[in-house]
Structure formats: C-alpha cells, structure tokens
C-alpha cells in the first residue's frame, strides 16, 4: 500500500498553471486554505487566466475582486450573496445550468 504524503496548501496549489480551469468543491467542503494559497500565487504574479468554477461556495471570494482581473475568472453555477456584487460589477460570471447538467458542462469544457 502506498503511504499518504502530506503537503502544505502552498505546495498543493503549485500544480495550477496559467490557463487552467479549477473546479472548487462547494458549501461545507469549500477548500478555503487552498483558495487562500491560490490567491497568494495570483497576487505574487505567478498565475493569469485561471478559471475558477463552482456551484456555491461559502465565505470570502477574494479571487473575484477587481485586483484579480485577468488573473482569475470566477464561473459560478449559482450566485450567492458572497459573489453577488462582483457578478453585478462584471468581475464574476454566472453560468445558468441545471444542477444535473454541470458534469456534462465540465466534461465538454475539458474536451475543448
């Protein structure tokens, strides 16, 4: 059996490359430490044009703030209160899709 290797959040997000699409787990399992580490990389100028996709996440969504324009693009399938202002201002996108069709949407985006 292979042993489990633990890494820091900063090390874990090093696999993200500019141009990637990252799908975040939603609600109670939102990976806040990984999001903070990803935002730190964006702020340091290590990333650009990273699409961040999710159904609904709780808490702060710093990556959708104006300072990250061109670095991160939020693509959400549900507009919660924590992203409403950024969406209305054009810093986050709402993708209208039935919940049952989100996996097909993700697979189709990957195949392009």
């Amino acid at each position: 059996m292979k042993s489990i290797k633990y890494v820091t959040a900063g090390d874990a997000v090093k696999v993200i490359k500019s141009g990637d699409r990252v799908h975040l787990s939603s609600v109670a399992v939102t990976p806040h430490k990984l999001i903070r580490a990803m935002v730190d990389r964006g702020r340091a100028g290590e990333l650009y044009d990273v699409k961040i996709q999710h159904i609904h996440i709780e808490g702060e969504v710093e990556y959708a703030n104006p300072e990250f324009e061109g670095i991160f693009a939020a693509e959400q399938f549900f507009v919660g209160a924590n992203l409403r202002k950024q969406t209305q201002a054009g810093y986050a996108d709402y993708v209208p899709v039935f919940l049952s069709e989100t996996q097909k949407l993700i697979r189709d985006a990957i195949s392009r």
Side-chain angles (χ1 to χ4, degrees):
M1 181 185 292
K2 192 173 182 179
S3 64
I4 296 172
K5 179 181 177 187
Y6 294 93
V7 298
T8 66
D11 286 339
V13 299
K14 285 181 182 176
V15 300
I16 300 171
K17 301 178 300 303
S18 294
D20 279 354
R21 174 175 273 114
V22 176
H23 186 85
L24 299 177
S25 296
S26 298
V27 194
V29 292
T30 300
H32 291 289
K33 286 186 179 188
L34 295 175
I35 292 169
R36 278 192 291 281
M38 182 177 60
V39 165
D40 289 345
R41 286 195 63 207
R43 188 172 279 124
E46 297 175 17
L47 296 170
Y48 64 91
D49 191 34
V50 174
K51 291 166 185 56
I52 302 174
Q53 220 174 41
H54 53 80
I55 296 171
H56 173 67
I57 62 169
E58 293 291 329
E60 188 176 0
V61 283
E62 190 176 7
Y63 57 81
N65 290 340
E67 74 174 290
F68 293 104
E69 187 173 16
I71 299 171
F72 300 117
E75 299 176 339
Q76 57 195 320
F77 304 140
F78 172 84
V79 181
N82 59 345
L83 268 171
R84 193 162 290 123
K85 287 181 184 177
Q86 293 97 321
T87 303
Q88 291 171 337
Y91 295 108
D93 292 326
Y94 167 60
V95 180
V97 62
F98 290 112
L99 184 60
S100 62
E101 295 177 352
T102 56
Q103 293 305 308
K104 181 181 181 326
L105 182 74
I106 293 166
R107 280 192 305 275
D108 288 351
I110 291 170
S111 67
R112 284 188 238 148

